[in-house]
Structures are given as structure tokens and as C-alpha cells.
Amino acid sequence: MTQMIDAQKAAGGMPKLLVSEHSRIRRIIAVMSGKGGVGKSTVTTLLAAALRHDGHRVGILDADITGPSIPKLLGLRHKPASDGDLLLPSLSQSGIRVMSMNLLLPHDSDPVIWRGPLVARAVQQFYTDVSWGEIDYLVVDLPPGTGDSPLTVLQSLPVDGLVVVSSPQDLAAMVVMKAVKMAQKLEIPIIGVVENMSSVKCPYCGESFSLFGEGQTRRMCSEHGLRFLGVLPLDPLLAKLCDQGLADQYDVAFLHGIPELLPPCTER
Ligand code: ADP
């Protein structure tokens, strides 16, 4: 069922996948982090929510197969329906179409104990064997890090641009450069870098303070010629909305500008 073409060879020499005839995906934005726990899935969801709010048709492909958190962030529990050989994405209350491994597991706490090739195959099928319909922006939540799984996804999907998520610690700034360099080697345009958990907002007095000191992300961006997209505070309201499955109700102003930062559209 998986179709491949030679014309669109990835920088790594891998042919790009094609979607089924029931899907038309205009642009693909992938969200990457150098390591886990920096808020990559949260930023993926907030970006999709901003695009949806602006009237676009939006999907999230949760490629984090072994740590899928998108259904939890959007309060999705039901198994996806199928249409012949194809799966139908689940729909969030705000109208975001979602495909995630956690929607297919009998219990959402079940682990996926798979080796790399199986994980890569599952991600590819989420692209090729899902009836996405008409989508303006497919936001892909990549597996964390720079290992085999994110590499395969970036090589096999025709990604238009990459948003990189970091957190303010020195360590996060160092590992995020690994993600950036990997994307550059694969010739994937980097839209910019988001710093998450930059400051903490006191729920009592409303004052903000930097838990990790001055964030390193802005400095790292200017040193390496990367666009600094903005900061997200560590906000108890966002944490609560995430836990309630209502993350798409949280608005981040700078994420609405992402479409204008994508390189011009090329024919797929
Ligand atoms: P990653 O995908 O990088 O592993 P997640 O996006 O899954 O990290 O984040 C884990 C949890 O951390 C989220 O479910 C959310 O509850 C919380 N979180 C992330 N960013 C923030 C933030 N800026 N403010 C409050 N909570 C946050």
C-alpha cells in the first residue's frame, strides 16, 4: 500500500512517501527537540490550535510512537474508525484531526515495546494509510532526540519546515544544536526555535521569575543565524489545560505567524 517515488529523493537518499488518494496535504511542519521533556508535544498542540483558530484545516501526526501524548493533551480517547484499508483520524473538539499510536492501544498506559524499524513503519503508515482528507497544515510531533526514529521521519515525509523546541538550561541549548545540525544536514528548512518554560508565573501574585536563570536559546539562535520565535512561560493554567485534555484552548500569539515563515510552496 505504501507508495514511493524516486523524483523527490531526500538528502539522505530516501524516497519520499506519498499519501493515499483520499488525502491532500498542502504543507507539513515538523516539531523537533534535542531531548525529551522540553514541551515538544505541547508546542505541537499549541501550534495546531493557533492554525486551526485562524481557520485552517489542521492535522497532527503523532510520530512519537513510544511516548505519544497528543491524544491526552486534546482529550481524545476513542479508537479511530476505518474506511476500507484506511484509518480515519480522530477529531478534537476544536476540529484538529489526529492520528496517534495511543488511539490504537487497548489502554493508553500500554507501552509500545518496538525496535526502530517497526516504529518507523508505524509513522510511515500514519502518513500513507490514513484518510486525512484536505489538510492545509499537517503538524508532525517528532520522536525526541536525533536518533533513528526522527531521522527516518524527516527523511521519508516531505517536511516543509521545522520548529525546534528548547528549554532555558545550558544542557537543553547544547542538545538542541544537535537537532538543528541534523535538520541542516537533511536540508530541511528550520523555521525557528521556541524556548519553553522560560519563566514561571506565580499563580498568586502574577509576577514572573526565571527558574533556570537567563535562557540560552536566544543567544544560541543569534550565534548560529537561527530565528528565535518566542518564549512560553511555565504557566499553571497551561499545565491544567494539558491535564484536562484542553490544551487547544491556550493561545500563544507568536505561533499564529508560523505560516508566513514557511518557504514558498512547491508542487508535491
Ligand atoms: P515533550 O513532548 O517534550 O516530552 P510535553 O510537551 O509532553 O514534553 O510536556 C510534558 C508536560 O509538561 C505537558 O503535558 C504539560 O503538562 C507540561 N508543560 C509543558 N510545557 C509547559 C508550560 N509551558 N507550562 C506548563 N506546563 C507545561
Side-chain angles (χ1 to χ4, degrees):
M1 172 151 325
T2 303
Q3 287 177 286
M4 297 193 182
I5 51 168
D6 286 333
Q8 290 175 293
K9 288 262 185 191
M14 218 170 153
K16 299 286 186 193
L17 297 167
L18 286 182
V19 286
S20 82
E21 57 182 318
H22 300 277
S23 307
R24 233 183 104 76
I25 297 172
R26 238 172 37 85
R27 317 291 331 250
I28 299 182
I29 303 171
V31 182
M32 189 180 194
S33 66
K35 66 187 191 73
V38 298
K40 171 182 55 62
S41 304
T42 307
V43 171
T44 301
T45 306
L46 297 176
L47 171 58
L51 297 170
R52 180 71 197 132
H53 187 264
D54 293 338
H56 301 296
R57 295 163 295 186
V58 181
I60 299 181
L61 190 162
D62 187 356
D64 194 350
I65 297 291
T66 54
S69 36
I70 301 295
K72 170 88 183 108
L73 294 172
L74 289 174
L76 296 171
R77 264 174 226 97
H78 297 297
K79 289 226 168 328
S82 65
D83 175 16
D85 286 342
L86 301 176
L87 281 174
L88 295 168
S90 293
L91 201 62
S92 81
Q93 276 198 3
S94 56
I96 300 169
R97 296 169 222 182
V98 177
M99 185 48 66
S100 168
M101 188 46 103
N102 246 24
L103 295 169
L104 303 173
L105 298 172
H107 308 286
D108 63 5
S109 57
D110 288 347
V112 176
I113 310 170
W114 288 354
R115 293 194 192 279
L118 268 187
V119 170
R121 181 85 188 103
V123 176
Q124 290 171 346
Q125 285 188 307
F126 281 178
Y127 185 66
T128 57
D129 299 354
V130 169
S131 181
W132 286 102
E134 297 264 341
I135 292 265
D136 297 314
Y137 296 98
L138 183 69
V139 188
V140 180
D141 187 18
L142 289 173
T146 49
D148 188 44
S149 301
L151 175 65
T152 311
V153 182
L154 288 175
Q155 284 184 314
S156 51
L157 301 194
V159 174
D160 294 286
L162 194 70
V163 170
V164 185
V165 183
S166 186
S167 56
Q169 307 92 323
D170 272 1
L171 178 68
M174 181 196 76
V175 289
V176 90
M177 271 319 292
K178 291 185 194 288
V180 164
K181 285 178 183 168
M182 175 168 157
Q184 286 169 337
K185 282 212 166 92
L186 295 171
E187 294 172 19
I188 294 171
I190 298 168
I191 301 170
V193 185
V194 173
E195 185 179 272
N196 188 25
M197 310 184 195
S198 290
S199 57
V200 187
K201 198 168 159 196
C202 173
Y204 304 107
C205 69
E207 199 175 317
S208 292
F209 61 95
S210 304
L211 193 61
F212 304 106
E214 199 49 46
Q216 301 301 315
T217 317
R218 196 185 291 269
R219 180 188 52 79
M220 183 204 74
C221 284
S222 65
E223 276 175 18
H224 295 276
L226 297 164
R227 186 184 287 112
F228 183 66
L229 293 170
V231 297
L232 263 174
L234 193 54
D235 184 350
L237 171 63
L238 175 55
K240 190 171 161 197
L241 289 171
C242 288
D243 288 350
Q244 292 175 334
L246 299 169
D248 51 347
Q249 290 189 5
Y250 192 87
D251 187 53
V252 180
F254 68 81
L255 293 177
H256 292 267
I258 298 281
E260 285 124 61
L261 303 174
L262 278 169
C265 205
T266 50
E267 263 315 298
R268 289 211 211 290

